[in-house]
Amino acid sequence: MKKHKKLLLLMTLILAFSSVLAACGADKNDQSANSGTGNKPKEQVFRMNLASDPPTLDPGLSQDNTSNTVINAVFEGLVRKGADGTEEPGVAEKWDISEDGLKYVFTLRKDAKWSNGDPVTAKDFEFAWKRVLDPNFTPASPYAYQLYYIKNAEAYNKGEMKDANEVGVKATDDYTLEVTLENPTPYFLSLMSFQTYFPVHKSVEGNASWATKPDTLIGNGPFKVSQMTKGQKIELVKNDQYWDKASIKLEKVQMSIVNSSATELASYRNDELDYAGHPTGNIPTDQLNAVKKELGDELVIKGIASTYFYIFNTTEEPFDNVNIRKAFAMAIDRKAIVEKITQGGQLPAYGFVPPGIKGEKDEYRKEVPDNYFNENLEEAKKLLEQGMKEKGYTTLPEVTLIHNSDDNHKKIALAIADMWKNNLGVTVKVQNQEWGVFLKNRTDLNYQIARSGWGADYNDPMTYIDMWTSTGGNNDTGFKSEEYDKLVKEAYATSDNAKRMELMSQAEKILVQDNQVVMPIYYYSSVSLVKPWVKNLHLDYKGDIDFTRAYIE
Amino acid sequence: MATEQGMPHPAAQQLTPEDFRKIGPDEKQSEVIQRESLSSWRDSWERLRKNKLAMTGLVVMILIVIMAIIGPMISNYDYETNDLMNTNAPPSAEHWFGTDDLGRDVFVRTWMGARISLTVGLAAAAIDLMIGVIYGGIMGYFGGRVDEFMNKFAEILYSIPYLLVTILLLVVFEPSLGTIILALTITGWINMSWIVRGEIMQLKNREFVLASRSMGASAPRLLFRHLIPNAMGPIIVTLTLSVPSAIFSEAFLSFLGLGVQAPVASWGSMINDALSGWMYYPWRMLFPALFISLTMLAFNIFGDGLRDALDPKLKK
Amino acid sequence: MLRYVASKFFYMLVSLFILISATFFLMKAIPGDPFMGEKKPSPEILARLMEQYDLDKPVFQQYTKYLGNIIQGDFGLSMKHQGQSVTDIIVDTFGPSLRLGLIAIVVSVIVGVLLGMLAALYHRKLIDNLAMIISVLGIAVPSFVLASMLQFVLAEKAGLFNVMGFDGPLDYVLPVMALSAQPIAFIARLTRSSMLEVLHSDYIKTAKAKGLNWFAIMFRHVIRNGILPVVTYVGPMTANIITGSVVIEQIFGIGGIGKQFVESITNRDYTVIMGITIFYGILLMLARFVTDIVYVFVDPRIKLSGGKEG
C-alpha cells in the first residue's frame, strides 16, 4: 500500500518538474524568435502600445486619440504638422489664402499616391469632406462639426440645404482644391492636418467595413496597415507608394494592445517596447518615482494642451452661490497635488485655457496670464462664510464629488476632499461611478461637483472657450451668461486676431474669475519613456505622437 | 427510482384493513433510526477540541476579529487623513505597516479593511451557503422536471452579464454595504447549488438513504439529516472559495461605484490600489494580502477539522 | 437517450429566449449609449446616430426587431467598432480565449486532482498539510496579483518569458499559470475532501479486505466516486474559463473575448453585448448538459431524467 502511494507522489513530482523544465528548455530555443529579452531591435522597427483597440481607422469617423495615432500614420492631409508645430506641405505643395481670410486655394503635388498606386487628387478631398458632411452618411460622423468652418457645411450637414454643390469645397481640376469659409478662421490651415480633413479613396463608397481589413484599407500616408488582430496588435509597414518615402526610415511599426499600464511599463523595461506612456498608454503613477530614478534619461515630460478641472453644478445648492464656489476653488493646494499625487510634471492651473495654445503672437497663456484667482485660505473661509450667510446656512450640508472609476481620479478626489475638510471644515463625500453612469449624471446635472477634463481639438483658445456658451453641448454646469455668449459670437465673426484674443480672454475671465463655474486643477503633461535608440520622434502641442519620421539608431 | 418508491409490492395488494393494527407513538419512534442528537453534537465538539490544528485555526480567526475591532483604536492615526508629505513610507515606529500613496497609515487601514472585508466575505458566504444548499438540495433530491426548471433558472441567472446587473444596482441603489452584499449574492450561490445538486444526485441512491426513506422519513428530513451532512466536505470547500472571492469582488464593485466608497478601506481595495507599485512599496500589498491568506488558512483548517468532527464515518 | 437530448434541447431554446429578453431589457435599463464620451457629439448628430441604429424607437420595438434578426442568424454590426460585424468580433476574440482556456482547464484538472489525491492519501501528514497551504494560497491570492507577480519575477527579472504578447507557445506559460492557480487549488481541495469520504466508506474497506489490487481500488472505486464534485465544478468552470478572463487578458495583452465583453459593456456597444451574452449562454448550457451526461459515466447509480418525471 505504502509503495503505491509513493509511486503516485513520484508521478506528481515528475509531472511538475517536467513541465517546469519544458518551459525553461523551450525558452532557450525560442529566444531568438521572441523580441523579448533582446536589446534594441535589429531592424527599423518601432514598437509601441495602444491602451485599447482603435474604434475606427476611418478618418471621417475617428474622434479619439488611439484611432488618430494610427490614422496619422496611414493617411495624410493637405498639410502636415512639422516637428516645430508649423504647417509643412503634405499632399498640397502650396496654398494661397485670400486677403479676407475666406478663400483658400490648395495646389496638390502630382506625385502623391494612394497605397494601391492611384494618384491622390483634389477630387478625393472633395469626396472625403462631402462624405462626412452628407446627412445620409451612416454612421453619422461625430466630428462632422470640425468641417463647419467651410461655407454651407453646417447647413448641408444638418439637412437644411439639400444641394451638396453649395458646400464651399471644390476640386477645380485634379490638382487644385478651392475652399470657401463661413468666417475668417485663422487656424483653418492647421486643421488640414486634422483627421476629419484627410482624404479617403473612392473605393470606400458603399463598403461600410473598408477600414476594418488591411486589404481594403487604402491610405495615402507613410505607412499602411499590414496586420490587425483584434485586442492584440496592429502592425504597420512602410508604404512604398508614399511621395516622401525617402524620409521614412522605419520599415515596421508594431503596436500592441494592452490596457494595463503596469504591463506596458514592464514590457518597456523588458525591451519589448521602444515607447511607453502618453498619448496612447500610461505610466503607473506609483512607479513614477522609481522610473525617474532608474530611467531618468529616457523619461520625457512635456506639457500638453489639456486641462484637468472640476465643474460645479450651478443650478443646485449649495453651488448655486458663487462665493461658495470660489471658496472651494481657493481652498486646495494644487502644488501638493501635482508634486505628490500626479507627480508627472503637471502644472497647477488657475485658468481654463492651457499653455501650448497659440495666442496672437506667442502662446495665449503667456499673453494672458492665468491669475484669475489664487489659493488663499483666509479669503476662502471668508467667502464661504459670506456665501453661507447669503444662502442662509449655519453649517454647509454634506457635499458629494463624483468622478469616473479610475485610480488617478480617485486619488486626486480623495486628496482634494481631505483638503476641503481640513481647510474649510466641510465634509465632502467622494463617489466613484461607472463611466456611462457618470457621464449620464454629469449631462443630466445630477451632481454637485464632478470631475472633468478637456483637450484641444485645434490650436486656438476657442476650442476651450466656445464649449461654455448657453447652448454648448458640453457645458454640463447649468452656467448661462448672455455676456459670455456675445463675446464668443463676436470672436467668431472677426478676423482680427488681436481682437479675438482679447474677446476670448474676457470670456475666460467671466468663466473662471467672475463665476468660478469651473475649478481648474492642473494643466496636463505628457509622460512617456523613449528608448535611447529611437530618434526623431515628436510630440505636438496636444501630445499627439508623430513617429512617421523616426528611426532606430 | 420510481419502481422502488411508487409500485406497491405484489404481496401488499392482498392485504385487507384487518391485517393492520394501530401502533402507539413510542413504537413509531423506535423505527426511525437516528443518533442521539445532543450527545452527537457534544461528541463532535469533543473531537474538534482535540484537533490541535483546528483549534489553532479557530484561535487565529478570533485574533483577527479582535484586531479588526481594536486595531484602529490602538493607533494614533485614522484611516482617511492624508499626509502628502509622508507618502509611501516604509514600516517604521511611527507607522507600523508604513503609509500608502496618500500618506495614510496602512496599519489602521488594514484593520479598518478587515471590518469591511470580513463582514462582506462572511455575509456573502453565509447567504451563498443558505440559498445554495437549499436550492441545490431540492434540485438534486427531486430531480426530473423540478430539477430541469430550477437548473435552467440558475443557468439563465448565471449567464446574464454580471456587469450589467451591477451597473443597474448602481443606478437603483445608494452605495452601501448592503448593496454590495446583494450584488455578491445575486449569482454567488449558484456554484454552491450545483455542487450540492451533484452530490445529492449521487448520494440519494445510497443504501443508507434508501433505508431511511423506506422507513418513511420525509423529504426535508432526508435532505437535512442524511443527504446534506454527507455532502459537507464539498460544501465546506466551496464555502472557502466564496469568502476570498467575495472579498475581491467587493473591491472591484466598489471601484465601479457600488458599495463602500473610498476613503473607506477594505482588504481587496487596498490590494487593488497597491498592485501597480507593489515591487517598490511591497508593504502596501503585503499586509492586507497576508491577513486575507491567514484568515483563509485558519478558516480552512478549522473547516476541515469541523468536517472531520461532524463526519461520523471518520470517527475513530 | 434521443428523447432526453431532444427535451434538453427544447429547454435550452426556451432558456436562451429568456436570457436574451432579460439581458436586452437590462441593457436598455442602464444609463448611457454607444456614442457617449468625454466630448459629446452635437445633439443633431446624436439624434441622427440614434436613428441610424434604431435606438430612437421604443425599447419593445427594438427588442422585437432584434429577435427577428437573431432568428435569421444576423447578430448585427458593432456600434462602437465601426463596420465590424458582431459575429466577426466573437470569432476573432474567442480563438485566443479558447486556446488559453482549454490548456488551463487540462492543467487545472490534472494537477488539481493529483494534488488532491495525494493529500487524501497522506491525510494529516506533511504532504497533506503542504498541499493544503498551497491550495489555500491559490484560493486566497487572486489571479490579478499572481499574474502581476509572475510577470515581474519570471518575465521582467528572470527574463524567461515575454511580459506580454500572445504569439509563440511560450507566451501561454504565464497566463496559464495565473489562470489555473485558483482552479487547481479548488479542485485539489474538492478532490481531497470527497476522496477522504470515499476512502473511509465501507465498500472501499470491503474492497481492501478482499485484497483487491491497489490501483484497481484507486481507479475503479476511489477516483470514480471521489471525482463527482470536480466534474460538477469543471462544467461551468470550462464555460467560464474559455470565455476569457478579463484580468488575465488585460495583464498579458491577449485579444480575448473576456476583455472584449467588458469593453462592450463599458462602451454600451449593445449588439456586441447581446452577441457575446448569447454565445456565453449557449456555452454554459452545453457545458452543464455535458456535466450531467458525465455524471452517469462516473457514477452509474445516477440516473438522468428527461422530459418525463423520473
Side-chain angles (χ1 to χ4, degrees):
Chain A
M1 197 72 191
K2 274 263 154 59
K3 197 178 69 196
H4 293 303
K5 281 204 217 169
K6 292 246 166 68
L7 200 65
L8 191 68
L9 183 64
L10 199 68
M11 267 168 55
T12 316
L13 288 178
I14 289 171
L15 193 80
F17 273 118
S18 57
S19 55
V20 170
L21 284 177
C24 300
D27 184 56
K28 300 229 164 60
N29 304 331
D30 238 18
Q31 198 118 88
S32 52
N34 277 308
S35 45
T37 37
N39 274 327
K40 74 171 187 189
K42 293 183 191 77
E43 316 147 76
Q44 290 290 327
V45 178
F46 177 63
R47 298 159 304 172
M48 63 183 287
N49 182 45
L50 306 177
S52 63
D53 269 309
T56 179
L57 295 183
D58 183 337
L61 293 173
S62 161
Q63 54 169 335
D64 63 288
N65 265 338
T66 312
S67 301
N68 291 348
T69 302
V70 183
I71 288 171
N72 279 332
V74 177
F75 291 87
E76 188 178 76
L78 290 165
V79 304
R80 34 174 251 102
K81 266 177 296 195
D84 54 353
T86 55
E87 284 77 33
E88 284 179 6
V91 176
E93 52 186 8
K94 62 185 176 73
W95 47 86
D96 292 307
I97 307 170
S98 67
E99 281 289 302
D100 59 2
L102 285 173
K103 193 159 182 188
Y104 286 66
V105 179
F106 293 94
T107 309
L108 275 63
R109 64 178 70 251
K110 306 223 160 46
D111 54 351
K113 287 201 183 95
W114 290 101
S115 52
N116 67 351
D118 293 352
V120 179
T121 66
K123 294 202 176 70
D124 292 327
F125 281 90
E126 190 187 334
F127 166 70
W129 296 4
K130 286 185 175 166
R131 169 177 170 266
V132 171
L133 289 171
D134 185 350
N136 297 318
F137 183 39
T138 313
S141 168
Y143 261 26
Y145 71 86
Q146 290 291 348
L147 298 174
Y148 285 180
Y149 304 100
I150 301 168
K151 194 165 182 59
N152 294 332
E154 185 169 3
Y156 175 59
N157 184 236
K158 288 183 173 166
E160 292 154 12
M161 183 181 281
K162 298 287 173 222
D163 188 3
N165 290 324
E166 297 288 311
V167 178
V169 53
K170 194 158 181 51
T172 47
D173 62 53
D174 273 358
Y175 298 100
T176 311
L177 188 73
E178 274 185 31
V179 185
T180 319
L181 301 190
E182 199 77 54
N183 290 308
T185 311
Y187 50 90
F188 185 71
L189 196 60
S190 73
L191 286 174
M192 294 304 102
S193 56
F194 192 81
Q195 296 74 34
T196 326
Y197 283 92
F198 284 178
V200 292
H201 191 263
K202 289 176 291 289
S203 66
V204 311
E205 204 159 20
N207 181 1
S209 53
W210 68 276
T212 64
K213 297 189 179 67
D215 43 326
T216 49
L217 182 50
I218 299 170
N220 69 328
F223 293 91
K224 57 185 182 184
V225 176
S226 59
Q227 204 191 337
M228 288 167 88
T229 311
K230 197 149 188 46
Q232 208 156 300
K233 62 179 170 191
I234 291 179
E235 201 176 83
L236 310 179
V237 292
K238 186 176 168 179
N239 175 11
D240 289 330
Q241 301 287 342
Y242 182 57
W243 63 271
D244 192 20
K245 64 181 172 215
S247 315
I248 309 303
K249 306 224 174 58
L250 290 177
E251 291 295 330
K252 240 186 216 177
V253 179
Q254 289 174 342
M255 296 163 157
S256 57
I257 299 170
V258 176
N259 69 346
S260 150
S261 56
T263 300
E264 186 176 334
L265 180 56
S267 312
Y268 179 85
R269 287 177 188 272
N270 210 25
D271 289 338
E272 289 170 46
L273 289 175
D274 302 313
Y275 185 91
H278 199 87
T280 54
N282 257 314
I283 310 281
T285 318
D286 268 345
Q287 295 197 42
L288 264 180
N289 250 330
V291 165
K292 281 177 193 160
K293 273 186 216 125
E294 297 163 20
L295 301 167
D297 298 343
E298 300 168 23
L299 187 68
V300 179
I301 291 182
K302 183 180 181 291
I304 56 168
S306 288
T307 309
Y308 191 97
F309 58 101
Y310 283 173
I311 50 177
F312 295 109
N313 180 354
T314 60
T315 63
E316 249 181 80
E317 298 201 332
F319 296 110
D320 51 352
N321 181 287
V322 64
N323 288 321
I324 298 182
R325 296 201 293 266
K326 282 184 179 169
F328 272 68
M330 283 181 187
I332 65 167
D333 182 354
R334 290 167 177 78
K335 194 161 165 275
I337 292 168
V338 298
E339 281 175 6
K340 299 296 175 187
I341 297 173
T342 60
Q343 300 174 50
Q346 293 84 352
L347 296 171
Y350 302 94
F352 189 61
V353 181
I357 293 288
K358 279 185 207 157
E360 188 197 344
K361 292 186 185 78
D362 199 353
E363 277 186 18
Y364 171 84
R365 207 66 284 173
K366 284 181 186 154
E367 294 169 352
V368 185
D370 62 347
N371 51 8
Y372 296 116
F373 67 101
N374 52 13
E375 285 160 9
N376 184 337
L377 286 191
E378 291 311 306
E379 183 71 14
K381 279 181 195 152
K382 242 183 265 165
L383 283 166
L384 182 67
E385 220 165 280
Q386 195 187 330
M388 281 165 63
K389 207 183 283 168
E390 285 162 13
K391 298 292 297 175
Y393 293 124
T394 45
T395 51
L396 201 70
E398 193 189 65
V399 169
T400 307
L401 157 63
I402 63 169
H403 64 88
N404 54 307
S405 299
D406 174 277
D407 279 335
N408 283 325
H409 297 334
K410 184 170 88 179
K411 264 193 239 178
I412 293 166
L414 288 175
I416 289 180
D418 195 58
M419 289 170 182
W420 280 331
K421 189 178 165 193
N422 292 332
N423 298 344
L424 294 177
V426 296
T427 317
V428 176
K429 205 170 85 187
V430 173
Q431 211 180 82
N432 242 338
Q433 293 186 338
E434 191 268 344
W435 182 228
V437 178
F438 170 77
L439 286 178
K440 173 91 171 127
N441 281 335
R442 213 172 62 179
T443 305
D444 294 350
L445 295 184
N446 182 21
Y447 72 92
Q448 290 175 300
I449 309 174
R451 181 210 70 84
S452 199
W454 195 259
D457 281 330
Y458 47 90
N459 198 346
D460 190 88
M462 189 53 95
T463 187
Y464 290 88
I465 298 296
D466 68 356
M467 63 185 282
W468 299 108
T469 57
S470 316
T471 52
N474 285 298
N475 177 358
D476 293 331
T477 58
F479 166 72
K480 283 187 172 65
S481 158
E482 277 175 30
E483 199 188 345
Y484 192 93
D485 295 355
K486 209 178 105 220
L487 288 168
V488 172
K489 215 169 159 191
E490 279 175 39
Y492 265 131
T494 178
S495 59
D496 177 356
N497 220 9
K499 196 177 164 211
R500 286 180 68 246
M501 295 301 153
E502 171 58 27
L503 290 166
M504 287 191 284
S505 70
Q506 281 177 27
E508 192 186 20
K509 180 172 168 288
I510 292 176
L511 179 77
V512 183
Q513 183 172 339
D514 301 348
N515 288 290
Q516 201 87 60
V517 178
V518 297
M519 175 182 120
I521 298 169
Y522 63 76
Y523 302 123
Y524 275 92
S525 66
S526 152
V527 182
S528 56
L529 284 161
V530 189
K531 290 287 182 192
W533 53 75
V534 180
K535 310 287 181 204
N536 207 21
L537 200 65
H538 297 292
L539 292 172
D540 74 357
Y541 75 99
K542 45 178 180 167
D544 286 355
I545 183 175
D546 180 3
F547 51 79
T548 57
R549 266 76 181 164
Y551 56 93
I552 307 292
E553 192 178 84
Chain B
M1 195 61 251
T3 48
E4 285 153 77
Q5 203 178 21
M7 252 196 325
H9 193 273
Q13 288 162 1
Q14 289 143 29
L15 294 173
T16 59
E18 286 76 50
D19 291 325
F20 294 89
R21 75 186 162 85
K22 203 176 175 198
I23 57 166
D26 290 347
E27 213 166 331
K28 198 171 189 175
Q29 210 72 76
S30 70
E31 293 215 323
V32 179
I33 296 166
Q34 64 175 82
R35 283 182 294 128
E36 210 181 324
S37 57
L38 184 70
S39 74
S40 95
W41 282 112
R42 181 171 298 159
D43 195 28
S44 299
W45 172 239
E46 284 301 318
R47 266 184 287 154
L48 185 63
R49 234 181 37 166
K50 283 195 198 113
N51 185 341
K52 282 204 193 89
L53 211 56
M55 291 321 280
T56 317
L58 185 65
V59 170
V60 171
M61 281 188 338
I62 292 172
L63 279 179
I64 289 176
V65 171
I66 291 177
M67 278 312 284
I69 296 166
I70 65 161
M73 300 176 198
I74 59 176
S75 169
N76 298 324
Y77 301 94
D78 73 40
Y79 70 95
E80 56 176 351
T81 302
N82 296 350
D83 180 1
L84 294 183
M85 289 336 227
N86 199 9
T87 56
N88 291 322
S92 64
E94 286 290 292
H95 296 281
W96 299 330
F97 290 180
T99 64
D100 69 2
D101 52 349
L102 291 174
R104 297 172 297 191
D105 184 78
V106 176
F107 178 82
V108 176
R109 290 182 65 76
T110 302
W111 297 118
M112 286 302 288
R115 295 182 184 178
I116 301 285
S117 291
L118 289 177
T119 312
V120 167
L122 295 178
I127 296 172
D128 286 358
L129 176 74
M130 231 149 52
I131 304 178
V133 166
I134 295 175
Y135 197 92
I138 295 175
M139 277 198 288
Y141 182 80
F142 289 103
R145 214 161 262 169
V146 175
D147 176 42
E148 191 75 65
F149 280 120
M150 292 177 74
N151 210 348
K152 281 287 173 274
F153 176 75
E155 280 174 9
I156 293 169
L157 200 60
Y158 199 81
S159 305
I160 292 177
Y162 186 59
L163 203 50
L164 284 184
V165 179
T166 309
I167 296 172
L168 188 73
L169 288 176
L170 179 70
V171 178
V172 177
F173 295 106
E174 282 288 306
S176 74
L177 210 55
T179 49
I180 213 119
I181 293 172
L182 176 69
L184 288 172
T185 45
I186 277 184
T187 54
W189 56 271
I190 297 177
N191 248 327
M192 174 70 86
S193 80
W194 283 338
I195 295 274
V196 173
R197 170 181 177 266
E199 285 293 290
I200 303 291
M201 278 169 68
Q202 187 191 29
L203 288 169
K204 72 177 176 187
N205 297 326
R206 288 274 190 85
E207 296 76 6
F208 69 94
V209 182
L210 296 179
S212 180
R213 176 180 294 162
S214 63
M215 282 168 209
S218 65
R221 188 188 162 76
L222 270 172
L223 256 179
F224 291 103
R225 284 295 303 182
H226 297 289
L227 292 169
I228 288 168
N230 274 290
M232 225 44 206
I235 291 177
I236 288 181
V237 176
T238 314
L239 200 60
T240 55
L241 185 70
S242 321
V243 180
S245 85
I247 289 176
F248 288 106
S249 304
E250 178 274 319
F252 169 71
L253 295 175
S254 295
F255 180 71
L256 279 183
L258 193 80
V260 290
Q261 293 271 299
V264 177
S266 73
W267 284 344
S269 65
M270 289 175 75
I271 290 177
N272 260 358
D273 290 350
L275 189 65
S276 66
W278 68 269
M279 48 295 258
Y280 297 104
Y281 318 112
W283 56 90
R284 285 174 49 196
M285 182 186 272
L286 178 72
F287 292 105
L290 178 74
F291 288 109
I292 289 183
S293 301
L294 259 184
T295 310
M296 290 320 300
L297 201 59
F299 194 81
N300 266 274
I301 293 170
F302 179 72
D304 255 31
L306 192 66
R307 191 189 60 92
D308 289 356
L310 289 175
D311 191 341
K313 292 195 293 286
L314 291 181
K315 197 160 25 172
K316 295 230 168 83
Chain C
M1 191 64 190
L2 198 68
R3 190 200 167 93
Y4 176 73
V5 174
S7 99
K8 280 274 170 183
F9 185 71
F10 171 74
Y11 278 115
M12 204 169 121
L13 280 184
V14 175
S15 303
L16 269 181
F17 170 73
I18 299 173
L19 173 65
I20 290 169
S21 313
T23 309
F24 192 91
F25 290 107
L26 186 62
M27 181 176 83
K28 294 289 173 178
I30 64 172
D33 62 66
F35 319 112
M36 65 191 183
E38 187 77 58
K39 294 186 179 181
K40 277 174 267 179
S42 68
E44 294 91 12
I45 301 275
L46 185 63
R48 204 180 303 153
L49 281 166
M50 289 294 203
E51 193 194 320
Q52 284 165 348
Y53 286 107
D54 280 330
L55 297 176
D56 56 339
K57 311 261 180 339
V59 175
F60 195 75
Q61 204 175 321
Q62 293 179 37
Y63 166 72
T64 47
K65 187 163 179 202
Y66 184 76
L67 278 185
N69 289 344
I70 296 216
I71 289 167
Q72 292 160 22
D74 176 13
F75 285 82
L77 290 177
S78 161
M79 299 184 181
K80 190 77 184 177
H81 295 275
Q82 265 101 26
Q84 300 192 28
S85 81
V86 173
T87 322
D88 278 353
I89 290 179
I90 293 178
V91 170
D92 287 353
T93 52
F94 182 52
S97 296
L98 178 69
R99 292 199 297 275
L100 188 63
L102 285 181
I103 298 175
I105 289 163
V106 172
V107 170
S108 316
V109 171
I110 294 177
V111 179
V113 169
L114 275 176
L115 204 63
M117 278 171 65
L118 276 177
L121 291 174
Y122 289 89
H123 186 45
R124 293 199 184 136
K125 304 255 170 54
L126 181 68
I127 291 176
D128 183 21
N129 293 338
L130 273 180
M132 161 96 129
I133 291 174
I134 291 172
S135 66
V136 166
L137 283 180
I139 291 176
V141 176
S143 58
F144 62 89
V145 173
L146 186 67
S148 161
M149 293 189 168
L150 287 173
Q151 203 173 47
F152 180 70
V153 177
L154 295 181
E156 206 183 318
K157 288 292 153 202
L160 290 173
F161 304 99
N162 283 337
V163 169
M164 64 173 180
F166 201 57
D167 299 316
L170 265 189
D171 291 335
Y172 283 76
V173 178
L174 296 185
V176 165
M177 280 166 87
L179 204 51
S180 47
Q182 192 171 21
I184 286 178
F186 190 60
I187 290 174
R189 305 277 297 126
L190 272 181
T191 311
R192 173 184 177 274
S193 137
S194 70
M195 288 250 311
L196 276 181
E197 254 156 57
V198 178
L199 281 173
H200 289 91
S201 66
D202 297 334
Y203 61 91
I204 297 296
K205 286 180 186 151
T206 317
K208 276 186 199 166
K210 282 200 303 195
L212 216 65
N213 173 292
W214 186 80
F215 275 100
I217 300 180
M218 282 322 279
F219 287 95
R220 197 170 305 155
H221 298 287
V222 180
I223 293 186
R224 223 174 158 177
N225 285 299
I227 210 158
L228 198 93
V230 177
V231 173
T232 313
Y233 171 69
V234 167
M237 180 193 89
T238 306
N240 261 338
I241 284 193
I242 62 177
T243 46
S245 153
V246 198
V247 177
I248 300 298
E249 287 171 9
Q250 272 176 1
I251 292 182
F252 292 106
I254 298 164
I257 198 166
K259 196 163 92 168
Q260 188 61 47
F261 193 32
V262 170
E263 237 168 64
S264 70
I265 293 179
T266 311
N267 290 331
R268 309 291 192 267
D269 195 344
Y270 296 133
T271 40
V272 179
I273 299 178
M274 287 308 297
I276 299 182
T277 303
I278 295 170
F279 180 71
Y280 177 63
I282 294 176
L283 273 181
L284 179 84
M285 287 171 197
L286 283 178
R288 295 277 308 148
F289 173 65
V290 173
T291 307
D292 275 1
I293 303 274
V294 173
Y295 277 174
V296 183
F297 287 102
V298 173
D299 190 338
R301 281 172 309 198
I302 294 177
K303 293 187 186 76
L304 292 172
S305 34
K308 230 171 56 177
E309 194 77 33

